[in-house]
Amino acid sequence: MADREALFACPLLAALPADDRDAVLSRLRRVEASKGLRLFSEGDEAAAFYIVLSGWTRLFRADAGGAEADVGLFGPGQSFGEAAMFLGGRFPASAQMAEPGALARMDLAEMRRLLDERPRLAMALMGSLSLHLHGLVGRLAAMRLFTAERRAASYLLARAQEHDEIPARVRLPYDKAVLAGALGMAPEALSRAFAALRAQGVEVRGREIEIRDPDALRRMLD
């Protein structure tokens, strides 16, 4: 049931007519993935794209010295890797499991055949790629315009709004190092940002975070 919910929430599939969606679903293969598993590396020949069923996957690029920069973090119901069909058949980034989970894998060759047979899939694919682009633009804007403290506050406020109670108690779904990469900062910068947010009623204990005053975070972002 959880797999089905994640698949039907995926923008690539959600807007499709039932027959086109079923054609894609019938070609997906479920893959169990452990934490730290490298799914593909930047420059690899693109053989498949993925939909996250559970767990989290990070996409990143690395320089010659091994320094990494995250370009995306994908959770249940989100797809990644499909853009490689239009990028010379090579992956533009590396993908690694940030948390253990399961993925739905589809061969890109199969997807290309389906696009020839079912042109409506092309519009769904363009919509999915557009969402990826908008997400990337939003992350770049936040990194340019927000301090590390404000980026952390924005993330925590979004998580607090998922809960009705005050104080809101949330649990990070992945390591703080992964969150730091997703927010475009080093882990030590995230630790400093969390420390600064204590004055706004934020208490961090490992992955457990208590947000005592969401309004204080809102005022920071106004």
Side-chain angles (χ1 to χ4, degrees):
M1 180 62 72
D3 286 2
R4 186 178 180 84
E5 289 176 358
L7 288 169
F8 277 58
C10 179
L12 180 59
L13 300 177
L16 286 174
D19 58 333
D20 288 337
R21 185 175 61 239
D22 290 344
V24 176
L25 292 174
S26 68
R27 290 163 171 80
L28 294 173
R29 181 167 63 86
R30 193 178 194 278
V31 179
E32 298 289 340
S34 58
K35 182 176 181 177
L37 176 68
R38 180 73 67 94
L39 300 168
F40 51 78
S41 295
E42 179 182 348
D44 282 354
E45 183 177 353
F49 77 89
Y50 300 84
I51 300 171
V52 182
L53 303 176
S54 62
W56 291 83
T57 305
R58 61 183 285 256
L59 263 62
F60 64 95
R61 300 190 75 168
D63 65 16
E68 297 177 354
D70 286 50
V71 296
L73 186 61
F74 297 85
Q78 295 178 302
S79 61
F80 62 91
E82 61 269 47
M85 283 191 288
F86 309 102
L87 294 170
R90 300 280 173 181
F91 285 118
S94 301
Q96 182 181 43
M97 294 301 294
E99 289 292 321
L103 305 166
R105 182 186 188 277
M106 182 170 185
D107 290 343
L108 287 179
E110 286 281 351
M111 189 63 174
R112 291 188 185 98
R113 282 192 286 272
L114 277 181
L115 286 170
D116 289 338
E117 298 167 6
R118 299 171 179 269
R120 288 176 298 192
L121 281 173
M123 292 302 297
L125 185 59
M126 288 175 63
S128 178
L129 296 178
S130 178
L131 283 175
H132 291 326
L133 177 59
H134 280 286
L136 181 59
V137 169
R139 288 191 295 274
L140 287 173
M143 283 187 273
R144 292 278 186 173
L145 300 173
F146 281 13
T147 63
E149 188 176 329
R150 291 188 73 196
R151 275 177 264 162
S154 179
Y155 174 83
L156 292 179
L157 182 58
R159 295 300 310 276
Q161 290 171 340
E162 299 170 2
H163 301 264
D164 294 329
E165 74 275 14
I166 296 178
R169 294 179 175 85
V170 302
R171 177 175 173 79
L172 296 179
Y174 30 68
D175 292 340
K176 281 186 282 189
V178 174
L179 175 60
L183 295 179
M185 64 182 86
E188 55 270 24
L190 180 64
S191 295
R192 289 193 296 269
F194 280 158
L197 291 177
R198 289 193 196 113
Q200 311 301 327
V202 173
E203 288 292 335
V204 180
R205 304 178 188 88
R207 287 196 184 188
E208 306 295 332
I209 300 179
E210 182 176 273
I211 304 163
R212 299 173 185 167
D213 187 2
D215 286 339
L217 299 182
R218 289 189 185 93
R219 288 191 292 272
M220 283 186 62
L221 301 173
D222 287 341

